[in-house]
Coordinates of all heavy atoms in Angstrom, one line a residue:
M1 N -88.1 133.2 13.8 CA -89.2 133.1 14.8 C -90.2 132.0 14.3 O -90.7 132.1 13.2 CB -89.9 134.4 15.0 CG -90.7 134.5 16.2 SD -91.5 136.1 16.4 CE -90.6 136.8 17.7
S2 N -90.4 131.0 15.2 CA -91.3 130.0 14.8 C -92.8 130.3 15.0 O -93.1 131.2 15.8 CB -91.0 128.7 15.5 OG -91.6 128.7 16.8
I3 N -93.7 129.6 14.4 CA -95.1 129.8 14.6 C -95.5 129.6 16.1 O -96.4 130.2 16.6 CB -95.9 128.9 13.7 CG1 -97.4 129.3 13.7 CG2 -95.7 127.4 14.1 CD1 -98.2 128.6 12.6
F4 N -94.7 128.8 16.8 CA -95.1 128.5 18.2 C -94.8 129.7 19.1 O -95.4 129.7 20.2 CB -94.3 127.3 18.7 CG -94.6 126.1 17.9 CD1 -93.6 125.6 17.0 CD2 -95.8 125.5 18.0 CE1 -93.9 124.5 16.2 CE2 -96.1 124.4 17.2 CZ -95.2 123.8 16.3
S5 N -94.1 130.7 18.7 CA -93.9 131.8 19.6 C -94.8 133.0 19.2 O -94.6 134.1 19.7 CB -92.4 132.3 19.5 OG -92.1 132.6 18.2
K6 N -95.7 132.7 18.3 CA -96.6 133.8 17.9 C -97.5 134.3 19.0 O -98.0 133.5 19.8 CB -97.5 133.3 16.7 CG -97.9 134.3 15.8 CD -98.8 133.8 14.7 CE -99.4 134.9 13.9 NZ -100.6 134.4 13.1
N7 N -97.6 135.6 19.0 CA -98.4 136.2 20.1 C -99.9 136.0 19.8 O -100.3 135.8 18.7 CB -98.2 137.7 20.2 CG -96.9 138.1 20.8 OD1 -96.0 137.2 20.9 ND2 -96.8 139.3 21.3
Q8 N -100.7 136.1 20.9 CA -102.1 136.1 20.8 C -102.6 137.5 21.0 O -102.2 138.1 22.1 CB -102.8 135.2 21.8 CG -102.1 133.8 21.9 CD -102.8 133.0 23.1 OE1 -103.9 132.6 23.0 NE2 -102.0 132.9 24.1
T9 N -103.4 138.0 20.2 CA -104.0 139.4 20.4 C -105.5 139.3 20.2 O -106.0 138.7 19.3 CB -103.4 140.4 19.4 OG1 -102.0 140.4 19.5 CG2 -104.0 141.8 19.7
K10 N -106.2 139.8 21.2 CA -107.7 139.9 21.0 C -108.2 141.3 21.4 O -107.5 142.0 22.1 CB -108.4 138.9 21.9 CG -108.0 137.5 21.4 CD -109.1 136.4 21.8 CE -108.7 135.1 21.1 NZ -109.5 134.0 21.7
K11 N -109.3 141.6 20.8 CA -109.8 143.0 21.0 C -111.1 143.0 21.8 O -111.9 142.1 21.7 CB -110.2 143.6 19.6 CG -109.0 143.8 18.7 CD -109.4 144.3 17.4 CE -108.1 144.5 16.5 NZ -108.5 144.9 15.1
V12 N -111.2 144.1 22.6 CA -112.5 144.3 23.3 C -112.9 145.8 23.0 O -112.1 146.7 23.2 CB -112.3 144.2 24.8 CG1 -113.5 144.7 25.6 CG2 -112.0 142.7 25.2
V13 N -114.1 146.0 22.6 CA -114.6 147.3 22.3 C -115.3 147.8 23.6 O -116.0 147.1 24.2 CB -115.6 147.3 21.1 CG1 -116.2 148.7 20.9 CG2 -115.0 146.8 19.9
V14 N -114.9 149.1 23.9 CA -115.4 149.7 25.1 C -116.5 150.7 24.7 O -116.3 151.7 24.0 CB -114.3 150.5 25.8 CG1 -114.8 151.1 27.1 CG2 -113.1 149.5 26.1
N15 N -117.7 150.4 25.2 CA -118.8 151.3 24.8 C -119.9 151.3 26.0 O -120.6 150.3 26.2 CB -119.5 150.8 23.5 CG -120.5 151.8 23.0 OD1 -121.2 152.5 23.7 ND2 -120.7 151.8 21.7
A16 N -119.9 152.4 26.7 CA -120.8 152.5 27.8 C -122.3 152.4 27.5 O -123.1 152.1 28.3 CB -120.5 153.8 28.6
D17 N -122.6 152.7 26.2 CA -124.0 152.7 25.8 C -124.4 151.3 25.3 O -125.5 151.1 24.9 CB -124.3 153.7 24.7 CG -124.3 155.1 25.2 OD1 -124.4 155.2 26.5 OD2 -124.3 156.0 24.4
N18 N -123.4 150.4 25.3 CA -123.7 149.1 24.7 C -123.3 148.0 25.7 O -122.7 147.0 25.4 CB -122.9 148.9 23.4 CG -123.4 147.7 22.6 OD1 -124.6 147.3 22.8 ND2 -122.6 147.3 21.7
H19 N -123.7 148.2 27.0 CA -123.5 147.3 28.1 C -122.0 147.0 28.4 O -121.7 146.0 28.9 CB -124.2 145.9 27.8 CG -125.7 146.1 27.5 ND1 -126.6 146.6 28.4 CD2 -126.3 145.9 26.3 CE1 -127.7 146.7 27.8 NE2 -127.6 146.3 26.6
G20 N -121.2 147.9 28.0 CA -119.8 147.8 28.5 C -118.8 147.2 27.5 O -118.6 147.8 26.5
Y21 N -118.2 146.1 27.9 CA -117.2 145.5 27.1 C -117.7 144.4 26.2 O -118.4 143.5 26.6 CB -116.1 144.9 28.1 CG -115.6 145.8 29.1 CD1 -115.9 145.8 30.4 CD2 -114.6 146.8 28.7 CE1 -115.4 146.7 31.4 CE2 -114.1 147.7 29.6 CZ -114.5 147.7 31.0 OH -114.0 148.6 31.9
K22 N -117.3 144.5 24.9 CA -117.7 143.5 24.0 C -116.5 142.9 23.3 O -115.8 143.7 22.6 CB -118.7 144.2 22.9 CG -120.1 144.4 23.4 CD -120.9 143.2 23.3 CE -122.2 143.3 24.0 NZ -123.2 144.2 23.4
P23 N -116.3 141.6 23.3 CA -117.1 140.6 24.1 C -116.7 140.7 25.6 O -115.6 141.2 25.9 CB -116.6 139.3 23.5 CG -115.2 139.6 23.0 CD -115.2 141.0 22.5
A24 N -117.6 140.3 26.4 CA -117.4 140.5 27.9 C -116.4 139.4 28.4 O -115.8 139.6 29.4 CB -118.7 140.3 28.6
T25 N -116.3 138.3 27.6 CA -115.3 137.3 28.0 C -114.4 137.0 26.8 O -114.8 136.8 25.7 CB -116.0 136.0 28.4 OG1 -116.9 136.2 29.5 CG2 -115.0 134.9 28.8
V26 N -113.1 137.0 27.1 CA -112.1 136.7 26.1 C -111.2 135.6 26.6 O -110.9 135.5 27.8 CB -111.2 138.0 25.8 CG1 -110.0 137.6 25.0 CG2 -112.0 139.1 25.1
T27 N -110.9 134.6 25.7 CA -110.1 133.4 26.1 C -108.8 133.4 25.3 O -108.7 133.7 24.1 CB -110.9 132.2 25.7 OG1 -112.2 132.3 26.4 CG2 -110.2 130.9 26.2
F28 N -107.7 133.1 26.1 CA -106.4 132.9 25.5 C -105.9 131.5 25.8 O -106.3 130.9 26.8 CB -105.4 133.9 26.1 CG -105.6 135.3 25.6 CD1 -106.1 136.3 26.5 CD2 -105.3 135.7 24.3 CE1 -106.3 137.6 26.1 CE2 -105.5 137.0 23.9 CZ -106.0 138.0 24.8
K29 N -105.0 131.0 25.0 CA -104.4 129.7 25.3 C -103.2 129.9 26.2 O -102.4 130.9 26.2 CB -103.9 129.1 24.0 CG -105.0 128.6 23.2 CD -104.5 127.9 21.9 CE -105.7 127.4 21.1 NZ -105.5 127.6 19.7
V30 N -103.0 128.9 27.1 CA -101.8 128.9 28.0 C -100.5 128.8 27.2 O -100.5 128.1 26.2 CB -101.9 127.7 29.0 CG1 -100.6 127.5 29.8 CG2 -103.1 127.8 29.9
G31 N -99.5 129.6 27.6 CA -98.2 129.4 27.1 C -97.7 130.3 26.0 O -96.5 130.3 25.7
K32 N -98.6 131.1 25.4 CA -98.2 132.0 24.4 C -98.4 133.4 24.9 O -99.5 133.7 25.5 CB -99.0 131.8 23.1 CG -98.6 130.5 22.4 CD -99.4 130.3 21.1 CE -99.2 129.0 20.5 NZ -99.9 128.8 19.3
P33 N -97.5 134.3 24.6 CA -97.7 135.7 25.0 C -99.1 136.3 24.5 O -99.4 136.0 23.4 CB -96.6 136.5 24.3 CG -95.5 135.5 24.1 CD -96.3 134.2 23.8
A34 N -99.8 136.9 25.4 CA -101.2 137.4 25.1 C -101.3 138.8 25.4 O -100.9 139.4 26.4 CB -102.2 136.6 25.9
Q35 N -102.0 139.5 24.4 CA -102.3 140.9 24.6 C -103.8 141.2 24.4 O -104.4 140.7 23.4 CB -101.5 141.7 23.6 CG -100.0 141.7 23.8 CD -99.3 142.6 22.9 OE1 -99.6 142.8 21.7 NE2 -98.3 143.3 23.4
L36 N -104.4 141.9 25.3 CA -105.8 142.3 25.2 C -105.8 143.8 24.8 O -105.2 144.6 25.5 CB -106.5 142.1 26.5 CG -108.0 142.2 26.5 CD1 -108.6 141.3 25.5 CD2 -108.6 142.0 27.8
K37 N -106.4 144.0 23.7 CA -106.4 145.4 23.1 C -107.8 146.0 23.4 O -108.8 145.5 22.9 CB -106.2 145.3 21.6 CG -105.4 146.4 21.0 CD -105.3 146.2 19.5 CE -103.9 145.9 19.1 NZ -103.7 145.9 17.7
F38 N -107.8 147.1 24.1 CA -109.1 147.8 24.3 C -109.3 148.9 23.2 O -108.4 149.8 23.1 CB -109.1 148.5 25.7 CG -109.3 147.5 26.8 CD1 -108.2 146.8 27.4 CD2 -110.5 147.1 27.2 CE1 -108.4 145.9 28.4 CE2 -110.7 146.1 28.2 CZ -109.6 145.5 28.8
I39 N -110.4 148.8 22.5 CA -110.7 149.7 21.4 C -111.7 150.7 21.9 O -112.8 150.3 22.3 CB -111.3 148.9 20.2 CG1 -110.5 147.6 19.9 CG2 -111.5 149.8 19.0 CD1 -109.1 147.9 19.4
P40 N -111.4 152.0 21.8 CA -112.3 153.0 22.3 C -113.5 153.2 21.4 O -113.4 152.8 20.2 CB -111.4 154.3 22.3 CG -110.4 154.0 21.3 CD -110.1 152.5 21.3
S41 N -114.5 153.8 21.9 CA -115.7 154.2 21.1 C -116.0 155.6 21.4 O -115.3 156.2 22.2 CB -116.9 153.3 21.4 OG -117.3 153.6 22.7
N42 N -117.0 156.2 20.8 CA -117.3 157.6 21.1 C -118.3 157.7 22.3 O -118.8 158.7 22.6 CB -117.8 158.3 19.9 CG -118.9 157.6 19.2 OD1 -119.5 156.7 19.7 ND2 -119.2 158.0 18.0
N43 N -118.5 156.5 23.0 CA -119.4 156.5 24.2 C -118.6 155.8 25.3 O -119.0 154.7 25.7 CB -120.7 155.8 23.9 CG -121.6 156.6 23.0 OD1 -121.9 157.8 23.3 ND2 -121.9 156.0 21.8
M44 N -117.6 156.5 25.8 CA -116.8 155.9 26.9 C -117.5 156.0 28.2 O -117.3 155.2 29.1 CB -115.4 156.5 26.9 CG -114.6 156.4 25.6 SD -114.2 154.6 25.3 CE -112.9 154.4 26.5
G45 N -118.3 157.1 28.4 CA -118.9 157.3 29.7 C -117.9 157.2 30.8 O -116.8 157.8 30.7
C46 N -118.2 156.4 31.8 CA -117.3 156.3 33.0 C -116.2 155.3 32.7 O -115.5 154.9 33.6 CB -118.0 156.0 34.2 SG -118.7 154.3 34.2
M47 N -116.2 154.7 31.5 CA -115.2 153.6 31.2 C -113.9 154.1 30.8 O -113.2 153.5 30.0 CB -115.8 152.7 30.2 CG -117.2 152.2 30.6 SD -117.9 151.1 29.3 CE -117.1 149.6 29.6
N48 N -113.5 155.3 31.3 CA -112.2 155.9 30.9 C -111.1 155.3 31.7 O -110.0 155.9 31.8 CB -112.3 157.4 31.0 CG -112.7 157.9 32.3 OD1 -113.0 157.1 33.2 ND2 -112.9 159.2 32.4
E49 N -111.3 154.2 32.4 CA -110.3 153.6 33.2 C -110.6 152.1 33.3 O -111.8 151.7 33.4 CB -110.4 154.2 34.7 CG -109.2 153.8 35.6 CD -109.4 154.4 37.0 OE1 -110.3 155.2 37.2 OE2 -108.6 154.1 37.8
V50 N -109.6 151.3 33.1 CA -109.8 149.8 33.2 C -108.9 149.3 34.3 O -107.7 149.6 34.4 CB -109.6 149.1 31.9 CG1 -108.2 149.2 31.3 CG2 -110.0 147.7 32.0
V51 N -109.4 148.5 35.2 CA -108.7 148.0 36.4 C -108.7 146.5 36.4 O -109.8 145.8 36.4 CB -109.4 148.5 37.7 CG1 -108.6 148.0 38.9 CG2 -109.4 150.0 37.7
F52 N -107.5 145.9 36.4 CA -107.4 144.4 36.6 C -106.8 144.3 38.0 O -105.5 144.4 38.2 CB -106.4 143.8 35.6 CG -106.9 143.6 34.2 CD1 -107.1 144.7 33.4 CD2 -107.2 142.4 33.7 CE1 -107.6 144.5 32.1 CE2 -107.7 142.2 32.4 CZ -107.9 143.3 31.6
K53 N -107.6 144.1 39.0 CA -107.1 144.1 40.4 C -106.0 143.0 40.6 O -105.0 143.3 41.2 CB -108.3 143.7 41.3 CG -108.8 144.9 42.1 CD -109.9 144.6 43.1 CE -110.8 145.7 43.3 NZ -112.1 145.3 43.8
D54 N -106.3 141.8 40.0 CA -105.3 140.7 40.3 C -104.0 140.9 39.6 O -103.0 140.3 40.0 CB -105.9 139.4 39.7 CG -107.2 139.0 40.4 OD1 -107.4 139.5 41.5 OD2 -108.0 138.2 39.8
L55 N -103.9 141.8 38.6 CA -102.7 142.0 37.9 C -102.0 143.3 38.3 O -101.0 143.7 37.8 CB -103.0 142.1 36.4 CG -103.5 140.8 35.7 CD1 -103.7 141.0 34.2 CD2 -102.5 139.6 35.9
G56 N -102.7 144.1 39.2 CA -102.2 145.4 39.6 C -102.2 146.4 38.5 O -101.3 147.3 38.4
V57 N -103.1 146.2 37.5 CA -103.2 147.1 36.4 C -104.3 148.1 36.5 O -105.4 147.7 36.9 CB -103.4 146.3 35.1 CG1 -103.8 147.2 33.9 CG2 -102.2 145.4 34.7
D58 N -104.0 149.4 36.3 CA -105.0 150.4 36.4 C -104.6 151.4 35.3 O -103.7 152.2 35.4 CB -104.9 151.1 37.8 CG -106.0 152.1 37.9 OD1 -106.6 152.6 37.0 OD2 -106.4 152.4 39.1
E59 N -105.3 151.3 34.1 CA -104.9 152.1 33.0 C -106.0 153.1 32.6 O -107.2 152.8 32.7 CB -104.7 151.2 31.8 CG -103.4 150.4 31.9 CD -102.2 151.2 31.6 OE1 -102.2 152.2 30.8 OE2 -101.1 150.8 32.1
K60 N -105.6 154.3 32.1 CA -106.6 155.2 31.6 C -106.9 154.9 30.2 O -106.0 154.5 29.4 CB -105.9 156.7 31.7 CG -105.6 157.1 33.1 CD -106.9 157.5 33.8 CE -106.5 158.0 35.3 NZ -107.5 157.4 36.3
L61 N -108.1 155.1 29.8 CA -108.6 155.0 28.4 C -109.1 156.4 28.0 O -110.0 156.9 28.6 CB -109.7 154.0 28.3 CG -109.5 152.6 28.8 CD1 -110.7 151.7 28.6 CD2 -108.3 151.9 28.1
D62 N -108.4 157.0 27.1 CA -108.7 158.4 26.7 C -109.8 158.5 25.7 O -110.2 159.6 25.3 CB -107.5 159.2 26.3 CG -106.9 158.7 25.0 OD1 -107.5 157.7 24.4 OD2 -105.9 159.2 24.6
G63 N -110.3 157.4 25.2 CA -111.4 157.4 24.2 C -110.9 157.6 22.8 O -111.7 157.6 21.9
K64 N -109.6 157.7 22.6 CA -109.0 157.9 21.3 C -108.0 156.8 20.9 O -108.1 156.2 19.9 CB -108.3 159.2 21.2 CG -109.2 160.4 21.4 CD -108.4 161.7 21.3 CE -109.3 162.9 21.5 NZ -109.5 163.1 23.0
S65 N -107.1 156.4 21.8 CA -106.1 155.5 21.5 C -106.5 154.1 22.0 O -107.1 153.9 23.1 CB -104.8 155.9 22.2 OG -104.6 157.2 22.3
E66 N -106.0 153.1 21.3 CA -106.1 151.7 21.8 C -105.2 151.5 23.0 O -104.1 152.1 23.0 CB -105.7 150.7 20.7 CG -106.6 150.8 19.5 CD -106.2 149.8 18.4 OE1 -105.2 149.1 18.6 OE2 -106.9 149.7 17.4
V67 N -105.6 150.7 24.0 CA -104.7 150.4 25.1 C -104.5 148.9 25.2 O -105.5 148.1 25.1 CB -105.4 150.9 26.4 CG1 -104.6 150.4 27.6 CG2 -105.4 152.4 26.4
I68 N -103.2 148.5 25.3 CA -102.9 147.1 25.3 C -102.5 146.7 26.7 O -101.7 147.3 27.3 CB -101.7 146.8 24.3 CG1 -102.2 147.1 22.9 CG2 -101.2 145.4 24.5 CD1 -101.1 147.0 21.8
I69 N -103.1 145.6 27.1 CA -102.8 145.0 28.4 C -102.2 143.6 28.2 O -102.7 142.8 27.5 CB -104.0 144.8 29.3 CG1 -104.9 146.1 29.4 CG2 -103.7 144.3 30.7 CD1 -104.2 147.2 30.2
N70 N -101.0 143.4 28.7 CA -100.3 142.1 28.6 C -100.9 141.2 29.7 O -101.0 141.5 30.8 CB -98.8 142.2 28.8 CG -98.2 143.0 27.7 OD1 -98.4 142.6 26.5 ND2 -97.5 144.1 28.0
I71 N -101.4 140.0 29.2 CA -102.0 139.0 30.1 C -101.0 137.8 30.3 O -100.6 137.2 29.3 CB -103.3 138.5 29.4 CG1 -104.3 139.6 29.0 CG2 -104.0 137.4 30.3 CD1 -104.8 140.4 30.2
P72 N -100.7 137.5 31.5 CA -99.9 136.4 31.8 C -100.5 135.1 31.4 O -101.7 134.8 31.8 CB -99.6 136.4 33.3 CG -100.6 137.4 33.9 CD -101.2 138.2 32.8
T73 N -99.8 134.2 30.7 CA -100.4 132.9 30.3 C -99.6 131.8 30.7 O -99.6 130.7 30.1 CB -100.5 132.9 28.7 OG1 -99.2 133.1 28.2 CG2 -101.5 134.0 28.2
D74 N -98.8 131.9 31.8 CA -97.9 130.8 32.2 C -98.7 129.7 32.8 O -98.3 128.6 32.9 CB -96.9 131.3 33.2 CG -97.5 132.2 34.4 OD1 -98.4 133.0 34.1 OD2 -97.1 131.9 35.5
K75 N -100.0 130.0 33.3 CA -100.8 128.9 33.8 C -102.3 129.3 33.6 O -102.6 130.4 33.4 CB -100.5 128.7 35.3 CG -100.7 129.9 36.1 CD -100.3 129.8 37.6 CE -100.5 131.0 38.3 NZ -99.7 131.2 39.5
P76 N -103.2 128.3 33.7 CA -104.6 128.6 33.5 C -105.1 129.5 34.6 O -104.6 129.4 35.8 CB -105.3 127.2 33.7 CG -104.2 126.2 33.4 CD -102.9 126.8 33.8
A77 N -105.9 130.5 34.2 CA -106.3 131.5 35.2 C -107.5 132.3 34.6 O -107.8 132.2 33.4 CB -105.2 132.5 35.5
T78 N -108.2 132.9 35.5 CA -109.3 133.9 35.1 C -109.0 135.2 35.8 O -108.7 135.3 37.0 CB -110.6 133.4 35.6 OG1 -110.9 132.1 35.0 CG2 -111.8 134.3 35.2
F79 N -108.9 136.2 34.9 CA -108.7 137.6 35.4 C -109.9 138.4 35.1 O -110.4 138.6 34.0 CB -107.5 138.2 34.6 CG -106.2 137.4 34.8 CD1 -105.7 136.7 33.7 CD2 -105.6 137.4 36.0 CE1 -104.5 136.0 33.9 CE2 -104.4 136.6 36.2 CZ -103.9 136.0 35.1
N80 N -110.5 138.9 36.2 CA -111.7 139.8 36.1 C -111.2 141.3 36.0 O -110.2 141.6 36.6 CB -112.6 139.7 37.3 CG -113.2 138.3 37.3 OD1 -113.9 137.9 36.4 ND2 -112.9 137.5 38.3
Y81 N -111.9 142.0 35.2 CA -111.5 143.5 35.2 C -112.8 144.3 35.2 O -113.9 143.8 35.0 CB -110.7 143.8 34.0 CG -111.3 143.6 32.6 CD1 -112.0 144.6 32.0 CD2 -111.1 142.4 31.9 CE1 -112.6 144.4 30.8 CE2 -111.7 142.2 30.7 CZ -112.4 143.2 30.1 OH -113.0 143.1 28.9
A82 N -112.7 145.6 35.4 CA -113.8 146.5 35.6 C -113.4 147.9 35.2 O -112.2 148.2 35.2 CB -114.3 146.4 37.0
C83 N -114.4 148.7 35.1 CA -114.2 150.1 34.9 C -113.7 150.7 36.3 O -113.8 150.0 37.3 CB -115.4 150.9 34.4 SG -116.8 151.0 35.6
G84 N -113.3 151.9 36.3 CA -112.8 152.5 37.6 C -113.8 152.5 38.7 O -113.4 152.6 39.9
M85 N -115.1 152.4 38.4 CA -116.1 152.4 39.5 C -116.6 151.0 39.8 O -117.6 150.9 40.5 CB -117.3 153.3 39.0 CG -116.9 154.8 38.9 SD -118.0 155.8 38.0 CE -119.4 154.7 37.7
D86 N -116.0 150.0 39.2 CA -116.4 148.6 39.4 C -117.8 148.4 39.0 O -118.6 147.7 39.7 CB -116.2 148.2 40.9 CG -116.1 146.7 41.0 OD1 -115.7 146.0 40.1 OD2 -116.4 146.2 42.1
M87 N -118.2 149.0 37.9 CA -119.6 149.0 37.5 C -119.8 148.1 36.2 O -120.7 147.3 36.2 CB -120.0 150.4 37.1 CG -121.5 150.7 37.0 SD -121.7 152.5 37.0 CE -121.2 152.8 35.3
F88 N -118.9 148.3 35.2 CA -118.9 147.4 34.1 C -117.8 146.4 34.3 O -116.7 146.7 34.8 CB -118.6 148.2 32.8 CG -119.7 149.2 32.4 CD1 -119.6 150.5 32.6 CD2 -120.9 148.7 31.8 CE1 -120.6 151.4 32.3 CE2 -121.9 149.5 31.4 CZ -121.8 150.9 31.7
H89 N -118.1 145.1 33.9 CA -117.2 144.0 34.1 C -116.9 143.2 32.9 O -117.7 143.1 32.0 CB -117.7 143.1 35.2 CG -118.0 143.8 36.5 ND1 -119.3 144.2 36.9 CD2 -117.2 144.2 37.5 CE1 -119.2 144.8 38.1 NE2 -117.9 144.8 38.5
G90 N -115.6 142.7 32.8 CA -115.2 141.8 31.8 C -114.3 140.8 32.4 O -113.9 140.9 33.6
K91 N -114.0 139.8 31.6 CA -113.3 138.6 32.1 C -112.3 138.1 31.0 O -112.6 138.1 29.8 CB -114.3 137.5 32.4 CG -113.7 136.4 33.2 CD -114.6 135.2 33.2 CE -115.9 135.4 34.0 NZ -116.7 134.1 34.0
V92 N -111.1 137.7 31.5 CA -110.1 137.1 30.6 C -109.8 135.7 31.1 O -109.5 135.6 32.3 CB -108.8 137.9 30.5 CG1 -107.8 137.2 29.6 CG2 -109.1 139.3 30.0
V93 N -110.0 134.7 30.3 CA -109.8 133.3 30.7 C -108.6 132.8 30.0 O -108.5 132.9 28.7 CB -111.0 132.4 30.4 CG1 -110.7 131.0 30.8 CG2 -112.3 133.0 31.1
V94 N -107.6 132.2 30.7 CA -106.5 131.6 30.1 C -106.6 130.1 30.4 O -106.8 129.7 31.5 CB -105.2 132.1 30.8 CG1 -103.9 131.4 30.2 CG2 -105.0 133.6 30.6
K95 N -106.6 129.3 29.3 CA -106.8 127.9 29.5 C -106.1 127.0 28.4 O -105.7 127.6 27.5 CB -108.3 127.5 29.6 CG -109.1 127.8 28.3 CD -110.5 127.4 28.5 CE -111.3 127.5 27.2 NZ -112.7 127.2 27.4
Ligands
CU1 CU1 -118.1 152.8 35.6

């Protein structure tokens, strides 16, 4: 496996007491498989669900396990996501 096929992985910490998703914006490069990893905290509040409308993704966050979302990187794009109530927001930029 060459270095060029290496995956990109980035982390977002989920904490309702700390303004939501940290960092709020994550950037990936076009053309390499990308995974966004949601790291739970002990203050999940209503953030026990993450929704990527454009990707048709709606995942439960149980506050214990990390949750990995695969991000398409075939072309430049911006994917917004939110908690289940559309109250806390984050963004994934592919460029
Ligand atoms: Cu919410």
